Amino acid sequence: MRWLLLKDLQILRRSPLQAALLVVYPVLVALLVGFAISRDEEKPRVAFLNEIPSESRIVVGGRELPDVGVDDRICRRVTCVHVEDREEAIEEVRSGDVLAALILPADLVDRLNSLSTLNPQTPRIEVVVNQEDPLKARIVDDRISSLTAQANLAIARRMATEGGRSLDLAVNGGTVEVIGRKIEILGLRGAARLLEMLRPSLPPGEMREAGDRLIRFARAARDNLDVGATLLDRLAQPIVVDKEVVSEPTPPLDLFAIAVAATFTLTFITVLLVAGALALEREENVFPRLARGLVSRSALLAEKIGLGVAVGLVITLLMLIGVQLFIPFDWGRFGLWLVAILAGAGALAAAGAALGAAAREVRAVSLLAFMVTLPIALLSLVPSGTVGGGVYDGIRLVTALFPFKPALQAMTAALDPAGPGIGDPLLHLLILLLAYGAIARLALRRFAAV
Amino acid sequence: MAGTAIGEAALEARKLVKRYGEREALKGVDFAAHAGERLAVIGPNGAGKTTLLSILAGIARPDGGEVHLPNGDVGWVPQQAALYRRLTVEENLLLFARLEGDEDPPASVEKMLDLTGLRERRDETIARLSGGNQQRINIAIGLLSRPVALLLDEPSVGLDPRQRARLWEFVSALAGGGTTVIFSTHDIQEAERYGQRLLVLADGEALFDGTPEELRAAVHSETPEAARSDFETAFVAFLQHRGH
């Protein structure tokens, strides 16, 4: 068997272009996928026009609120393209340079302030959208809805806070500054106390009854308005999200991206190499000669799986060591890396052998390996809840039949100290190794047909 | 090569039967080949030539009958060169010598390089060799196990006349050394020229087993005109007379 392994390595060495492609292509795909899933969500470009005069402030209860930093809040969520006027904003949208324009009109603050007057006006902002890209248009809609909700919430909270202060002043009393002069407010509590003090001095009869009615009113108002501040605060955000995580702890995004990149590399190298090397035995017409007694079919399979595991291990380790230069890993878990890579490579190599034995021709097998591996690998990355329940069950079944997903789970567990255990994916990989080994062995029966 | 004396039966096929589903590819074929003998297996397409050689080589299992090899194993040379095209001549020979369990693989490689006359091209990859030279290496690999009989499945297919002549010179030398050579061919003239004995198969049946002269004599008794023509015409007349 070692002579066949040596021969395969000699052939790889003799085909530097193929060998380079075999290594470079999966690594590139892996890095691209890793980069794609780890980068921040794309921010849509939005033309932004803020016509609100800089000195405008929201006034609640006669008090000016501090500047809430509208520009910063908005431009954190979208890429702002600042424009000078409305026409420029619309032109930017029309030309496609931006997906939408957000215009805060000059009277926005005045209209907000009118909400606490007898003549309230609805505050409005203006959004101009370009719907030529439906996906991005949806992102813009979502972002603007989210921004509006956040702005409404922030204003409601400010108003609730100021309302609460006013209520507190009305209930408990205090001082308030009006046009530079401090005015003392008695408050309902103080008023009730004063009335109770005055009651005995009131003559019985009509005057005392009126005094008692005033005292009862002051007490009831004090007791009921006391909870008003809390109610106002709750009204601003009546529903609070209570998040409970029921799944295994998820790995940090950068570690997951590295695990994905490493598993992609391992998958493509191992599956393509083993499938191609096995198909080559037939394409070169050598298999019947070998199978006459020189090498048993099982030994040939074991040799090809060993080749895939050895090459996959070396390339994946090199890749991980390269990535480690940028994102430090826990080297104390190196043993687990080896176990995860070896188990993953074994199952993937067995799957490659089954493909190679089924297709029997190098070009066909390369195409088949891509057609099977790439979609299943991508399906394995589909998170639950993003597709319908039935579809996800189907995806889960299909991805459980191919070693990519358990290999990814094993790799993630090996890289992430806080992640889930590695035992289940290793057992899964062992089952797939045996199953695909058996399929490959069966397929080799017709491999030597002459 | 095999060390067996000429005249001794090196290989014997007894009542070989092979079925592929309903179709019977071999219908009880009997023959014996002797040490140092060159036996040509001829017949029309689908006659069962490749099936017979595959059974003799141990690649396919017969559904009936047996192959008897009293003095050792057979070497098999498939129709298309069964070689690793990206490896050199020497690397191919060395690999198969090691896989054969040869006690001294480098020495066997040197011997085969001498036998094939390709010593100077030992470092060239197989892909760079001509079809004729590839076939020589193909045959040399079949000889690495030191077989008593060498099976060649249409060895001259795709070779030009010069390469064919060299190939048969090489094969004749092997037989001269005592190796039994059994080859299948479509080329009737080639069978007449290089086969000391002919085994004629048609529809899985062995219709004739004898020398080319005996075949011509048989045709002469049936269709004298054809027997006086070239050997291929005589052979076709022989088949037609038997309903093939």
Side-chain angles (χ1 to χ4, degrees):
Chain A
M1 197 162 85
R2 66 191 161 123
W3 301 122
L4 276 181
L5 192 62
L6 180 71
K7 176 269 297 180
D8 282 332
L9 293 173
Q10 278 177 322
I11 288 176
L12 265 183
R13 201 187 64 201
R14 292 277 157 74
S15 323
L17 184 63
Q18 282 180 24
L21 276 176
L22 190 70
V23 173
V24 171
Y25 183 74
V27 170
L28 276 180
V29 169
L31 290 177
L32 279 174
V33 171
F35 173 70
I37 65 168
S38 63
R39 70 192 287 251
D40 288 338
E41 200 180 342
E42 191 180 358
K43 289 181 178 179
R45 278 167 61 83
V46 172
F48 181 55
L49 175 62
N50 185 358
E51 295 180 318
I52 302 169
S54 57
E55 68 278 6
S56 288
R57 292 286 183 275
I58 297 171
V59 178
V60 179
R63 289 179 45 159
E64 279 191 356
L65 300 184
D67 184 5
V68 292
V70 174
D71 291 26
D72 287 347
R73 282 169 184 264
I74 289 172
C75 296
R76 272 204 301 267
R77 307 292 303 273
V78 296
T79 301
C80 287
V81 177
H82 291 278
V83 292
E84 293 297 323
D85 51 39
R86 196 172 182 283
E87 286 67 34
E88 188 184 347
I90 292 171
E91 187 48 41
E92 287 279 347
V93 177
R94 192 167 284 146
S95 68
D97 285 348
V98 295
L99 276 167
L102 179 63
I103 301 168
L104 306 186
D107 62 353
L108 180 65
V109 172
D110 294 337
R111 283 172 174 262
L112 277 169
N113 289 337
S114 76
L115 293 175
S116 57
T117 68
L118 293 175
N119 186 24
Q121 293 177 290
T122 307
R124 293 183 190 283
I125 58 172
E126 193 176 350
V127 176
V128 184
V129 292
N130 181 342
Q131 300 276 11
E132 72 178 0
D133 183 334
L135 187 64
K136 287 195 172 179
R138 202 168 115 186
I139 294 171
V140 172
D141 280 349
D142 289 347
R143 290 285 165 85
I144 287 171
S145 299
S146 163
L147 280 171
T148 312
Q150 282 190 342
N152 282 332
L153 178 64
I155 290 165
R157 279 193 150 166
R158 289 275 186 192
M159 294 177 91
T161 306
E162 289 306 315
R165 277 197 197 130
S166 301
L167 275 176
D168 186 59
L169 198 63
V171 172
N172 296 316
T175 55
V176 64
E177 199 174 297
V178 179
I179 323 172
R181 287 182 60 196
K182 283 192 174 174
I183 297 173
E184 178 132 356
I185 305 288
L186 179 61
L188 289 167
R189 226 179 267 281
R193 260 198 320 271
L194 275 177
L195 286 168
E196 281 165 9
M197 281 168 61
L198 289 171
R199 186 180 180 277
S201 59
L202 292 173
E206 205 172 316
M207 284 294 282
R208 187 169 285 185
E209 274 178 24
D212 286 344
R213 283 170 62 196
L214 267 175
I215 290 167
R216 281 198 298 277
F217 165 74
R219 280 178 184 161
R222 179 196 65 197
D223 292 345
N224 287 297
L225 289 177
D226 215 16
V227 295
T230 314
L231 282 173
L232 275 177
D233 190 47
R234 284 285 169 270
L235 274 176
Q237 193 176 4
I239 297 171
V240 177
V241 176
D242 209 4
K243 184 175 161 188
E244 185 185 352
V245 179
V246 294
S247 60
E248 297 270 9
T250 52
L253 196 55
D254 53 353
L255 273 189
F256 182 66
I258 292 162
V260 169
T263 312
F264 254 91
T265 304
L266 185 66
T267 301
F268 277 96
I269 287 176
T270 312
V271 172
L272 280 174
L273 180 63
V274 174
L278 194 56
L280 189 70
E281 300 290 359
R282 183 177 164 91
E283 200 168 270
E284 302 265 50
N285 308 307
V286 181
F287 183 77
R289 181 169 256 166
L290 294 176
R292 277 191 67 225
L294 299 184
V295 182
S296 73
R297 286 168 168 82
S298 299
L300 185 68
L301 269 184
E303 183 269 323
K304 297 302 174 209
I305 290 172
L307 173 75
V309 170
V311 176
L313 176 71
V314 170
I315 302 295
T316 309
L317 274 181
L318 284 177
M319 196 203 138
L320 282 174
I321 289 166
V323 172
Q324 207 271 344
L325 296 175
F326 305 100
I327 301 169
F329 307 148
D330 180 0
W331 278 95
R333 300 175 69 79
F334 185 75
L336 280 178
W337 295 11
L338 279 182
V339 171
I341 296 172
L342 285 172
L348 288 161
L355 285 174
R360 307 196 294 178
E361 198 253 327
V362 176
R363 282 181 191 170
V365 91
S366 304
L367 188 64
L368 185 66
F370 267 106
M371 284 170 64
V372 170
T373 306
L374 192 58
I376 289 184
L378 293 176
L379 279 178
S380 302
L381 298 176
V382 173
S384 60
T386 53
V387 291
V391 176
Y392 187 71
D393 286 343
I395 289 174
R396 208 159 53 168
L397 177 69
V398 169
T399 54
L401 296 175
F402 191 75
F404 180 87
K405 195 167 186 179
L408 174 62
Q409 288 166 338
M411 197 77 79
T412 309
L415 288 171
D416 181 18
I422 199 170
D424 286 350
L426 288 184
L427 180 65
H428 191 163
L429 287 169
L430 179 66
I431 292 168
L432 289 179
L433 167 67
L434 295 174
Y436 279 110
I439 292 169
R441 182 66 186 77
L442 279 175
L444 278 187
R445 280 189 177 178
R446 65 181 194 96
F447 206 57
V450 289
Chain B
M1 182 92 218
T4 47
I6 295 176
E8 189 181 337
L11 183 149
E12 213 177 331
R14 296 171 186 158
K15 306 281 180 203
L16 289 180
V17 175
K18 181 70 183 174
R19 294 184 199 91
Y20 294 109
E22 294 292 305
R23 192 174 72 85
E24 219 171 12
L26 287 182
K27 300 170 181 171
V29 173
D30 277 312
F31 76 92
H34 299 88
E37 191 175 33
R38 296 191 304 270
L39 173 68
V41 181
I42 55 176
N45 283 338
K49 301 188 293 292
T50 297
T51 303
L52 175 63
L53 260 63
S54 299
I55 290 172
L56 297 178
I59 295 166
R61 284 186 186 168
D63 294 310
E66 60 176 9
V67 177
H68 187 55
L69 285 156
N71 298 315
D73 204 357
V74 293
W76 180 60
V77 181
Q79 183 180 335
Q80 289 175 315
L83 305 165
Y84 294 107
R85 293 167 55 80
R86 289 192 183 88
L87 296 187
T88 64
V89 169
E90 184 177 359
E91 285 166 347
N92 267 284
L93 289 168
L94 192 60
L95 170 67
F96 283 103
R98 283 167 169 162
L99 292 176
E100 288 283 1
D102 195 299
E103 284 178 8
D104 188 358
S108 294
V109 169
E110 296 303 322
K111 195 172 169 184
M112 290 303 159
L113 286 172
D114 285 338
L115 192 69
T116 54
L118 292 170
R119 175 171 288 282
E120 281 156 25
R121 307 190 72 176
R122 64 192 299 163
D123 294 326
E124 286 186 33
T125 57
I126 295 295
R128 295 188 61 186
L129 296 184
S130 66
N133 285 336
Q134 285 186 19
Q135 193 60 295
R136 284 197 203 188
I137 300 298
N138 199 27
I139 293 170
I141 287 172
L143 292 169
L144 278 168
S145 63
R146 296 174 175 80
V148 292
L150 189 65
L151 308 170
L152 299 149
D153 189 6
E154 304 201 27
S156 60
V157 166
L159 302 185
D160 65 33
R162 203 166 118 254
Q163 288 174 331
R164 274 210 299 272
R166 283 185 186 167
L167 171 77
W168 287 114
E169 192 181 326
F170 178 63
V171 170
S172 299
L174 290 175
T179 305
T180 304
V181 174
I182 301 174
F183 64 95
S184 66
T185 181
H186 271 110
D187 187 332
I188 304 305
Q189 308 294 354
E190 196 173 67
E192 182 195 17
R193 193 174 305 159
Y194 300 109
Q196 292 168 322
R197 266 178 61 215
L198 306 177
L199 178 68
V200 179
L201 292 182
D203 288 337
E205 280 182 274
L207 300 181
F208 178 85
D209 184 356
T211 64
E213 292 74 28
E214 286 169 341
L215 181 72
R216 200 182 277 275
V219 173
H220 190 267
S221 64
E222 292 157 2
T223 47
E225 213 170 284
R228 281 192 293 274
S229 186
D230 61 89
F231 192 70
E232 187 163 340
T233 307
F235 175 69
V236 171
F238 175 83
L239 290 177
Q240 281 176 344
H241 193 76
R242 283 155 184 79
H244 295 286

